[in-house]
Amino acid sequence: MPTSPNRRTLAVVVLVPVLAALALWAFAWPAARVAPRDLPVGVAGPAAATAQLQERFARAGEGSFDVHRYPDETAARAAIEDRDVYGAVVASPGGPKVLTATAASPVVAQLLQHALPSAPVTDVVAAPPGDPRGTALAASLLPLALAGVAAGALVTLTGLRGARAVTALLGAALLVGVVGAAIGGSWLGVITGGWGTTAGVLALTTLAVGGTVAGLAALLGRAGIGLGALVIVLLGNPFSGVAGAPELLPAPAGAIGQLLPPGAAGSLLRSVAFFDGAAAAGPLTVLVTWAVLGLTAVLAGARHTRATAPTATRHRPAAPAPAG
């Protein structure tokens, strides 16, 4: 039975503030609580010297830094390039020096520089000249998420089902990947990895989001579009940690963000663009899992619709015979 205009008015009056409060919490809470939490960093050099450096990190507070020890600067550099740590402090005869990786996180690099303001700094893996602060890379995630939500919503609203829906989602994701790589890589120079690899990551991200939204809609109806958008945009984007690092967000936001497509996409993009694929397996697995589950739900929803359609027809009351 349709609801009355008064009830619909009340629903709008109540629902909009609730959504606003949820959005403010999701976006403002992590930003207001940025601080290192088990942030992986390294110290390198003789044991006595590294113990002093480790004590300096410990003074920042219990649980702030996850300190890894390395025998020398070469080992510390290798750990940064493998994405085991965000940076390191090396004990040398002339005093400590700081190794950073602005490509991994300009925010963390700045944090390490502020911790030892008089120490010389070497940027082991530098951010691209077109995006030295990483802001353009971070800003690229929201358009990808919105493109994926739009693809899933359009597939649902246009009535595409089953294999045709999957084909539409795959085609849209592929074109988004090509366009994104052309803009972010070829034009802006924000992403410096291989063009094909970049396009593949962007396409997979769009497919993971679009498949999730369309899959939820196939199982739950049009309400699934709203649920998918809520999870991806209002949680996945602010919890992604791509503007700084997941370890800078309050628990459990950073961990949750890495299990959602936007956070996994940000980590995977950094790995393939700047670190020759180091530490790419985890975020790649997350994106593939979301994409496979979403597309499976799309196909399952279509099969369920076909299976129930004959039943509904069979139980439909017969039309009355024409008079006369």
Side-chain angles (χ1 to χ4, degrees), residues 204-205 207-208 264 268 281-295:
L204 179 59
T205 302
L207 182 62
L268 184 57
L284 177 61
T285 300
V286 170
L287 289 175
V288 170
T289 300
W290 279 99
V292 169
L293 290 177
L295 297 181

Side-chain angles (χ1 to χ4, degrees), residues 81-83 103-104 125 137 181 190-205 264-284 287:
E81 292 169 351
D82 290 340
R83 301 205 72 187
V125 186
L137 179 65
V190 172
I191 305 171
T192 57
W195 191 90
T197 304
T198 299
V201 172
L202 299 180
L204 179 59
T205 302
S267 296
L268 184 57
L269 269 177
R270 289 191 188 280
S271 290
V272 301
F274 311 127
F275 293 88
D276 294 327
L284 177 61
L287 289 175

